[in-house]
């Protein structure tokens, strides 16, 4: 009996359940396989001897093939979850061989037994779950390795490809040191950082830690690789000679020897490559000619590249009119080409002209064209006037029917280029996404584009996404644009007019654009303008940093008296204060499909949280995120009800951290 006032003794710990004989056996087998894979020859992870005899009389070591053949599938999968990656690789390979060997006996054993064995064969796919667990354990944030719709990969392949990429990155760091002399393949990979992850052992043989061994053992899984310039050598070509590379990214290719290494790799994998990317490279016309020739198949001009991306690289020669003939041939014969991206390539207007003319006459099914961050002002007007070939191309019925995405961001296009741009856009009947941001076209330029935009969003395959950010527009120009958009039946899916100094006067036009139903007004002029207005159901609106201010948000809030169809809206950097909070609250109530709101950097006072939280108590619907970061007055706020608002286990309200309060907000335009 416990004495009054005396602290009761803690209850005795629950007895531990002793391990079963089966679990001990599987642990011993797993330890043995792990040790054999590492080549260490010592004790396993459990501390027991890792030496298991397959035949007591002959003393043979237990092999993965023997384990895969002896264990039932249920136990084999249970064993797989306890193995390090290299040991799992061996078991996976052995089980795969077991599946196909059993398939050959179907005809002998009969149909029913063949069906039963077929079910067992399908269970080998369960190893994909084990590989997925290993992948997420090693890379918890990254769920992919750069794969996209072009390359389909299992978790096993993704694991070894990611591992191999880490080995290559570490080897590149060592090879870039001035003191490095020797063979890249002989470089040893850090056991602490990388090798321990696949062997689960610190006692790894020197042979297994070499890059050459890793490439020979796991290179068969490589499909997408990123190679630094120092790795582009004939030796690297030998390491990946028997792989089936499909996507390659090259970084900082400058010297002639590096170009030679790149061309060797491209020639070796010309039959399988579908995507090429160059970043910070010097791709002068002579170099580009060699690269384009290397990807051609069997000495022909045809190739299978579907995506070509060149970023922050020089592709023009020192002479103004020097253009890579190889690149033009690459575009002319690229029947598989779907994406062409030339970003910050020091492109000259004449080069841009030739690129477009070549694509216009090419049989390729190009879907995405990006020519961005290049100073090509005037290139469109020269197409119309400099040559008869250009004029014939523009006047003919030839068009880029397959093109759906056009990005002309940051090309210093002026308002005088817009009239000629219209002639180009009509050659793209299926355009769905247009980005002309970062070009100082001003109000006159946007006025010339409004007729095309109005027609484009009413076609059978309408324009859906429009970005006109940082184009030196005023509220007059944007109001004309919004008026044109709201006068048609078909809505835009996404509109971005961010980073234009519009001011609060554009707020009323925004309200009309966001509204869902027809408005009525006593003023005859406004009523006439809205008579055919059936509602613009825009789902994604970006009005970041347009100078709305408190007055603009007040106009938006007071005029927003109807349901809107928005899913995403960005109103950040508009210095809205408490009026921005009232607008967000009103929007949450009036937009049932709202998913995210970005109200960052709006000088929100502490009382803004109460305003927004009171609304969230009434309605959250599909809302997943309200970004209130970079509002330094909210960083120290404590509002317990914040914890109540969650979606998919994550908080809806995202507040600034305490550290952000140390950095003053710059409200100087």
């Amino acid at each position: 009996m416990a004495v009054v006032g005396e602290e009761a003794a803690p209850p005795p710990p629950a007895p531990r359940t002793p391990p079963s004989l089966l679990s001990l056996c599987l642990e011993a087998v797993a330890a043995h396989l792990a040790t054999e894979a590492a080549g260490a020859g010592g004790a396993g992870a459990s501390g027991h001897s890792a030496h298991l005899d397959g035949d007591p009389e002959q003393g043979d070591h237990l092999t993965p093939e023997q384990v895969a053949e002896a264990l039932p599938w249920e136990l084999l999968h249970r064993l797989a979850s306890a193995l390090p990656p290299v040991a799992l690789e061996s078991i996976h390979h052995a089980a795969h061989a077991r599946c196909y060997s059993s398939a050959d006996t179907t005809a002998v054993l009969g149909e029913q037994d063949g069906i039963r064995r077929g079910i067992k064969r399908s269970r080998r796919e369960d190893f994909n779950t084990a590989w997925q667990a290993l992948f997420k354990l090693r890379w918890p944030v990254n769920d992919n390795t750069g794969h996209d719709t072009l390359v389909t990969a299992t978790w096993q392949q993704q694991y070894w490809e990611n591992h191999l990429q880490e080995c290559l990155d570490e080897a590149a760091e060592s090879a870039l040191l001035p003191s490095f002399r020797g063979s890249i393949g002989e470089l040893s990979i850090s056991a602490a950082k990388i090798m321990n992850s696949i062997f689960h052992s610190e006692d790894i043989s020197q042979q297994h830690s070499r890059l050459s061994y890793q490439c020979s053992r796991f290179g068969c899984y490589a499909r997408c690789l990123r190679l630094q310039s120092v790795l582009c050598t004939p030796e690297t070509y030998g390491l990946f000679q028997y792989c089936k590379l499909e996507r390659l990214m090259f970084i900082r290719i400058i010297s002639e020897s590096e170009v030679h290494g790149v061309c060797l790799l491209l020639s070796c994998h010309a039959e399988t490559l579908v995507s090429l990317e160059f970043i910070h490279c010097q791709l002068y016309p002579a170099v580009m000619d060699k690269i384009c020739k290397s990807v051609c198949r069997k000495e022909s001009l045809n190739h299978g590249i579907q995506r070509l991306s060149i970023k922050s690289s020089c592709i023009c020669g020192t002479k103004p009119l020097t253009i890579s003939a190889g690149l033009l041939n690459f575009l002319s014969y690229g029947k598989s080409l779907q994406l062409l991206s030339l970003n910050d390539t020091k492109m000259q207007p004449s080069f841009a002209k030739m690129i477009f003319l070549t694509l216009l006459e090419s049989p390729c099914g190009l879907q995405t064209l990006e020519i961005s961050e290049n100073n090509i002002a005037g290139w469109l007007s020269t197409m119309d006037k400099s040559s008869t070939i250009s004029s014939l191309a523009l006047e003919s019925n030839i068009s880029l029917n397959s093109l759906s995405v056009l990005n002309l961001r940051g090309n210093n296009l002026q308002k005088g280029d817009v009239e000629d741009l219209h002639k180009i856009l009509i050659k793209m009947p299926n355009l769905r996404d247009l980005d002309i941001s970062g070009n100082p076209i001003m109000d006159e330029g946007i006025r010339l584009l409004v007729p095309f935009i109005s027609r484009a969003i009413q076609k059978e395959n309408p324009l859906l996404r429009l970005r006109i950010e940082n184009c030196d527009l005023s509220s007059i120009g944007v109001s004309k644009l919004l008026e044109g958009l709201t006068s048609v039946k078909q809505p835009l899916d996404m509109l971005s007019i961010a980073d234009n100094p519009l001011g609060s006067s554009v707020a009323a036009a925004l309200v009309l654009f966001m509204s869902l139903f027809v408005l009525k007004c006593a003023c005859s002029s406004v009523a006439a303008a809205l008579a055919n207005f059936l509602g613009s159901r825009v789902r994604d609106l970006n009005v970041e940093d347009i100078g709305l201010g408190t007055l603009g948000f007040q106009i938006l809030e007071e005029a927003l008296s109807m349901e809107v169809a928005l899913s995403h809206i960005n109103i950040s950097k508009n210095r809205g204060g408490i009026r921005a909070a009232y607008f967000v609250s009103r929007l949450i109530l009036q937009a049932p499909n709202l998913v995210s709101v970005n109200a960052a950097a709006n000088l929100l006072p502490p009382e803004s949280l109460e305003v927004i939280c009171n609304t969230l108590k009434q309605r959250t619907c599909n809302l997943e995120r309200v970004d209130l970061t970079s509002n330094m007055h909210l960083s120290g706020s404590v509002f317990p009800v914040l914890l109540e608002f969650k979606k998919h286990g994550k908080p809806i309200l995202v507040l600034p951290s305490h550290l952000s309060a140390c950095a003053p907000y710059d409200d100087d335009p």
Side-chain angles (χ1 to χ4, degrees):
M1 180 180 296
V3 180
V4 177
E6 185 176 300
E7 185 176 349
R16 297 181 60 183
T17 304
S20 65
L21 178 60
L22 176 61
S23 63
L24 289 174
C25 291
L26 290 177
E27 182 182 350
V29 173
H32 168 74
L33 293 174
T35 304
E36 288 297 317
S46 64
H48 301 292
S49 174
H51 177 77
L52 297 177
D53 293 332
D55 188 330
E57 297 181 359
Q58 299 182 12
D60 297 330
H61 286 289
L62 191 64
T63 65
E65 289 75 15
Q66 291 172 324
V67 174
E69 186 64 32
L71 290 182
W73 284 101
E74 291 76 8
L75 294 183
L76 196 60
H77 291 142
R78 183 173 171 181
L79 173 67
S81 63
L83 293 174
V86 172
L88 177 58
E89 172 68 21
S90 300
I91 285 292
H92 194 157
H93 180 76
H96 187 272
R98 170 185 171 184
C99 287
Y100 281 95
S101 64
S102 63
D104 296 335
T105 63
T106 300
V108 178
L109 297 175
E111 182 178 356
Q112 292 300 321
D113 194 67
I115 293 174
R116 178 177 58 83
R117 290 176 178 268
I119 295 173
K120 287 185 177 181
R121 289 196 301 273
S122 67
R123 292 179 182 175
R124 68 183 176 87
E125 298 299 332
D126 290 347
F127 284 115
N128 199 45
T129 303
W131 284 114
Q132 182 180 7
L134 286 172
F135 186 96
K136 293 189 174 182
L137 179 65
R138 185 171 174 185
W139 300 286
V141 178
N142 181 18
D143 283 344
N144 63 76
T145 58
H147 290 280
D148 48 31
T149 55
L150 295 181
V151 181
T152 303
T154 63
W155 284 105
Q156 179 190 23
Q157 180 177 325
Q158 291 188 59
Y159 185 94
W160 291 121
E161 188 177 73
N162 242 28
H163 165 74
L164 199 58
Q165 185 63 63
E166 284 195 354
C167 293
L168 289 170
D169 291 343
E170 184 172 309
E173 290 181 8
S174 300
L176 283 170
L177 295 175
S179 59
F180 172 74
R181 298 289 187 275
S183 169
I184 292 177
E186 294 301 310
L187 286 171
S188 293
I189 307 303
S190 168
K193 288 175 58 179
I194 298 177
M195 303 305 292
N196 188 33
S197 299
I198 65 172
F199 290 109
H200 291 183
S201 171
E202 296 182 359
D203 187 11
I204 302 168
S205 66
Q206 184 177 3
Q207 176 188 357
H208 289 176
S209 65
R210 288 173 180 161
L211 178 64
S212 57
Y213 174 82
Q214 296 299 312
C215 291
S216 63
R217 179 77 187 273
F218 308 116
C220 60
Y221 294 107
R223 297 294 182 270
C224 309
L225 290 180
R226 179 182 63 254
L227 298 176
Q228 298 279 349
S229 57
V230 70
L231 298 180
C232 296
T233 64
E235 184 182 358
T236 305
Y237 156 77
L239 294 177
F240 295 104
Q241 185 176 3
Y242 301 104
C243 302
K244 295 181 179 180
L245 297 177
E246 300 177 17
R247 180 174 177 177
L248 281 172
M249 176 192 294
F250 298 101
I251 301 175
R252 296 191 182 280
I253 305 301
I254 297 175
S255 68
E256 185 175 347
S257 61
E258 294 163 358
V259 172
H260 179 62
V262 168
C263 291
L264 283 176
L265 279 169
L266 296 181
S267 299
C268 180
H269 302 283
E271 297 296 326
T272 57
L273 279 173
V274 295
S275 177
L276 280 179
E277 186 170 356
F278 297 89
I279 302 176
H280 298 298
C281 300
Q282 291 184 4
L283 306 176
Y284 295 119
V287 174
M288 204 70 215
D289 289 346
K290 293 179 182 179
I291 290 174
C292 292
K293 184 178 180 180
S294 299
V295 298
C296 294
R297 296 175 172 175
K298 298 179 180 179
E299 302 299 326
S300 69
L301 293 176
N302 295 317
H303 60 83
I305 302 298
Q306 299 179 28
R307 299 189 179 188
L308 175 63
S309 177
I310 302 176
K311 299 179 180 179
S312 302
S313 304
C314 185
I315 62 174
C316 296
T318 54
K319 296 181 180 179
L321 297 179
T322 304
I323 299 173
S324 170
L327 178 58
L328 296 180
N329 287 332
F330 176 90
L331 300 179
S332 298
Y333 293 91
K335 295 182 180 180
S336 302
L337 193 63
Q338 298 177 9
L339 178 146
L340 175 63
S341 176
L342 303 173
N343 175 272
D344 187 21
T345 58
K346 313 299 185 290
M347 184 182 295
Q348 300 165 356
S350 58
F351 203 143
K353 176 184 72 173
M354 291 303 300
I355 291 290
F356 179 78
L357 288 178
T358 303
L359 291 173
L360 199 59
E361 299 177 348
S362 171
C364 70
L366 192 69
Q367 298 175 8
T368 300
L369 174 60
E370 177 184 357
I371 300 178
S372 59
E373 307 301 332
N374 293 286
N375 189 357
I376 58 173
W379 71 289
L380 298 173
S381 59
T382 60
M383 293 182 61
D384 200 17
K385 303 167 185 176
S386 63
S387 69
T388 55
I389 297 178
S390 302
S391 300
L392 289 174
L394 287 176
E395 294 173 1
S396 67
N397 293 327
I398 301 176
S399 62
L400 289 169
N401 289 315
S402 58
L403 194 70
S404 61
V405 179
L406 177 63
N407 184 347
L408 296 175
R409 177 184 288 265
N411 283 314
N412 196 32
L413 300 179
Q414 309 291 319
K415 55 185 178 182
D417 294 310
V418 177
E419 185 175 358
D420 295 305
L421 176 61
H422 184 274
K423 300 175 184 178
I424 303 301
L425 294 176
I426 61 177
K427 295 287 184 179
M428 306 170 186
N430 294 307
L431 192 64
R432 312 298 292 274
D433 190 321
L434 175 61
D435 188 349
I436 56 172
S437 303
N439 293 292
I441 61 175
M442 306 178 69
D443 288 349
E444 184 178 349
I446 198 64
R447 180 180 59 81
L448 294 172
L449 273 182
V450 167
F452 164 77
I453 296 171
S454 299
R455 289 193 300 269
I457 62 179
Q458 298 183 84
K459 296 184 301 184
E460 182 178 354
N461 294 317
L463 182 70
L464 295 178
R465 293 170 289 276
L466 178 62
R467 297 173 179 85
I468 315 178
E469 304 167 5
N470 190 24
C471 287
D472 291 346
L473 305 180
S474 73
S475 60
I476 297 175
V478 171
S479 295
K480 289 291 183 182
L481 171 66
L482 296 179
E483 182 180 343
L485 294 176
T486 54
S487 63
V488 297
K489 297 180 180 181
Q490 180 69 32
L492 273 177
D493 187 66
M494 193 281 293
L495 173 68
S496 179
I497 53 174
D499 300 315
N500 287 292
L502 307 180
S504 60
S505 59
V506 79
L510 280 175
V511 171
L512 300 183
F513 183 63
M514 292 189 296
S515 299
L516 182 64
F517 300 111
V518 180
L519 302 180
K520 301 298 180 181
C521 182
C523 176
S524 59
S525 60
V526 176
L530 300 175
N532 295 322
F533 176 71
L534 297 180
S536 177
R537 294 171 175 82
V538 63
R539 292 186 293 178
D540 190 339
L541 181 63
N542 184 357
V543 290
E544 175 185 353
D545 194 16
I546 64 171
L548 282 173
T550 56
L551 179 59
F553 278 110
Q554 183 176 355
I555 296 174
L556 286 173
E557 179 209 348
E558 293 175 351
L560 198 65
S561 58
M562 58 205 65
E563 192 174 272
V564 294
L566 278 172
S567 296
H568 307 276
I569 185 170
N570 184 350
I571 56 172
S572 62
K573 300 181 182 179
N574 275 293
R575 298 177 290 278
I578 189 62
R579 304 309 310 189
Y582 286 132
F583 171 70
V584 170
S585 300
R586 188 66 174 270
L587 192 61
I588 293 172
L589 295 175
Q590 304 302 127
N593 299 318
L594 194 63
V595 175
S596 69
V597 178
N598 186 350
N602 264 299
L603 298 177
L604 297 179
E607 57 267 25
S608 301
L609 281 179
E610 184 175 0
V611 172
I612 296 174
C613 288
N614 287 338
T615 303
L616 290 176
K617 290 179 181 179
Q618 304 176 48
R619 185 176 192 176
T620 57
C621 293
N622 299 310
L623 192 61
E624 296 181 4
R625 182 182 176 90
V626 178
D627 188 347
L628 303 179
T629 57
S630 298
N631 290 288
M632 67 177 190
H633 296 299
L634 303 184
S635 59
S637 302
V638 178
F639 209 70
V641 78
L642 294 177
L643 301 176
E644 299 179 8
F645 309 118
K646 291 186 177 182
K647 193 74 169 184
H648 307 305
K650 297 181 180 180
I652 293 178
L653 287 174
V654 183
L655 299 178
S657 64
H658 289 279
L659 295 177
S660 64
C662 301
Y665 176 75
D666 184 8
D667 191 32
D668 185 0

